[in-house]
Amino acid sequence: MKFLLFIFAGVHLLPLNSGKATYRHDSSQRTFQEIKEEIAHYGDVAKAIINLAVYGKAQNRSYERLALLVDTVGPRLSGSKSLEKAIQIMYQNLKEDGLENVHLEPVKIPHWERGEESAMMLEPRMHKMAILGLGSSIGTPPEGITAEVLVVTSFDELQRRASEARGKIVVYNQPYTNYSRMVQYRVKGAVEAAKVGALASLIRSVASFSIYSPHTGVQEYQDGVPKIPTACITVEDAELMSRMVSRGSRIIIQLKMGAQNYPDANSFNTVAEIVGSKYPDQVVLVSGHLDSWDVGQGAMDDGGGAFISWEALSLIKDLGLRPKRTLRLVLWTAEEQGGIGAFQYYQLHKANISKYSLVMESDLGTFLPSGLQFTGSEKARAIIKEVMSLLQPINITQVFSAGEGTDINFWIQAGVPGASLLDDLYKYFSFHHSNGDTMTVMDPKQMNIAAALWAVVSYVVADMEEMLPRS
């Protein structure tokens, strides 16, 4: 990997409490030691951000702002009136907060509604099952689908038993190992079941823990494969049916789903900035998504990530700081449908890709952070490690691999360095896409710490003399 070289001149550092470093330009090249010294100079400003967020007047602010929104609006499904209400509220909030260039960028997003839905086990006993239809699923006929069940634990088992699947409802009881491996059953389960002639599919919720709570999410149909209704069921019911069939029981289920897909709806990505003092055309982007599923409150996924991103700019503004390059907040729309709003943002702005120093997305919870996930060149990773060392006062300094996020992956794949917040994923996937995703899950003190980390990293990277180097 080729390291990029930086232009360096003799260093003149401003007083430590300024949080800035100014360089006179000549033709000499900066060493990494000199970059480390520049970053170390931000120690006082990092402490000021941490103190304001964790101990000062701003403590609990991101939590309280989030609670007000989600208690007022509730869940914010793509294409819904509640999402558009939330966007308009956030537009006003950001303007009232004194941020700059607050505006809405129009996008087209999917509009799906689940309608009334139910699943009733008729044999070997009567049992009403908790279900949540999966995003973009079609509905059943009004009378529903009544059929025998075939329980499988994997796609491989489904293929081995393909001759048994025709005319049945396929139930996936895939054991949970981790989200990235098991989510394929939610996304592809209906298609694979339809290929072998099934009438519908029911997927064990992709959850690290369950108290009889189904977890929804998006699923994808495939051209040339019949569309069949699909929903998630609880871990408990998937295991119940697996035990029943292992004893030789025949299971009959009646499934009713009123799901409908509508034409794409108008929506917006919500944008606000602190304009850079020296390189205003260069950007550090901080983000989270404002939409959610239509269950719970969307407080954790991704209200927390959206609101610590707003909080990062608020903290920096409150301290009277203005970084050299522009800090841009983007609250994405229709992330849950596959990053629809973010893709349209990328298409609109990718001509300026060389001006993006770092893209950041928080979409894995705002519990107590373990550190920062990062994707970029080795030189950039070394710089980020130095930046994270500024968070020693709150003992969160680790840099992990695989910075990612549905909404920033377009930029990362094009070579822009990317970062995401990492915390307790077991807890996150216990509540993810379920009715349990409410403010009760959120911890104001942990949100304070997450916001402090987010603000320190975004500010320092935005204020350093050079952009992060790329491969």
Side-chain angles (χ1 to χ4, degrees), residues 148-355:
E148 186 178 349
V149 159
L150 172 67
V151 180
V152 297
T153 58
S154 67
F155 289 140
D156 288 341
E157 183 181 357
L158 179 63
Q159 290 304 311
R160 292 195 303 269
R161 303 178 64 186
S163 61
E164 302 174 54
R166 182 165 297 279
K168 293 181 181 176
I169 297 173
V170 169
V171 170
Y172 293 94
N173 180 35
Q174 73 285 354
Y176 183 85
T177 53
N178 61 53
Y179 184 78
S180 60
R181 287 180 185 169
M182 308 323 296
V183 73
Q184 64 179 321
Y185 287 92
R186 190 194 77 205
V187 175
K188 301 177 182 178
V191 166
E192 295 305 314
K195 286 178 180 177
V196 293
L199 300 179
S201 64
L202 297 174
I203 291 86
R204 169 178 166 153
S205 290
V206 185
S208 51
F209 179 76
S210 178
I211 306 179
Y212 202 70
S213 179
H215 296 236
T216 189
V218 75
Q219 65 87 37
E220 297 174 357
Y221 289 123
Q222 184 176 312
D223 290 343
V225 177
K227 295 180 179 181
I228 61 173
T230 183
C232 60
I233 58 175
T234 66
V235 171
E236 291 87 343
D237 278 338
E239 293 184 344
L240 168 67
M241 287 188 280
S242 183
R243 293 193 302 273
M244 284 178 164
V245 297
S246 72
R247 301 184 191 113
S249 297
R250 180 173 180 263
I251 302 174
I252 303 291
I253 287 177
Q254 182 184 60
L255 176 67
K256 292 184 177 181
M257 294 174 58
Q260 292 191 54
N261 288 280
Y262 296 94
D264 285 354
N266 295 315
S267 190
F268 303 93
N269 291 317
T270 309
V271 183
E273 294 179 339
I274 296 175
V275 177
S277 62
K278 186 172 182 180
Y279 310 113
D281 59 331
Q282 297 177 11
V283 176
V284 168
L285 185 150
V286 293
S287 68
H289 66 86
L290 198 55
D291 68 293
S292 73
W293 285 103
D294 56 334
V295 291
Q297 291 182 301
M300 182 193 74
D301 182 18
D302 182 35
F307 275 67
I308 67 161
S309 296
W310 173 17
E311 183 67 12
L313 270 68
S314 287
L315 292 167
I316 291 163
K317 176 186 65 66
D318 289 351
L319 288 168
L321 301 170
R322 185 176 291 275
K324 294 183 180 74
R325 55 190 57 82
T326 295
L327 265 176
R328 180 175 297 162
L329 165 69
V330 183
L331 305 179
W332 310 108
T333 192
E335 184 276 344
E336 296 294 3
Q337 284 64 39
I340 303 299
F343 177 71
Q344 292 175 61
Y345 176 92
Y346 175 73
Q347 292 296 319
L348 183 65
H349 294 276
K350 66 180 180 180
N352 297 318
I353 196 168
S354 65
K355 301 293 187 181

Side-chain angles (χ1 to χ4, degrees), residues 17 21 70 102 162 182 190 197 221 225 238 247 252 317 332 335 377 392 402-403 422 437 456-457 471:
N17 60 7
V70 302
V102 178
M182 308 323 296
Y221 289 123
V225 177
R247 301 184 191 113
I252 303 291
K317 176 186 65 66
W332 310 108
E335 184 276 344
S377 69
Q392 185 60 48
L422 181 63
D437 181 358
V456 168
V457 172
S471 301

Side-chain angles (χ1 to χ4, degrees), residues 60-103:
N60 301 346
R61 181 169 62 185
S62 58
Y63 174 92
E64 290 163 1
R65 285 170 164 176
L66 174 61
L68 178 59
L69 179 81
V70 302
D71 290 347
T72 300
V73 176
R76 306 166 299 281
L77 183 64
S78 174
S80 68
K81 291 181 180 178
S82 59
L83 174 58
E84 298 318 304
K85 182 178 180 180
I87 290 170
Q88 293 301 323
I89 289 172
M90 288 307 302
Y91 173 76
Q92 291 299 325
N93 285 344
L94 297 173
K95 292 187 72 174
E96 291 171 6
D97 195 33
L99 298 177
E100 299 164 310
N101 295 336
V102 178
H103 64 280

Side-chain angles (χ1 to χ4, degrees), residues 285 353 356-360 373-377 380-381 384 403 408 411-419 461 467-471:
L285 185 150
I353 196 168
Y356 282 71
S357 180
L358 177 66
V359 290
M360 302 168 63
Q373 292 177 286
F374 180 78
T375 295
S377 69
R381 173 174 291 276
I384 290 295
I408 61 172
W411 299 91
I412 293 173
Q413 291 164 7
V416 179
V461 173
M467 293 174 58
L468 291 177
R470 303 185 189 181
S471 301

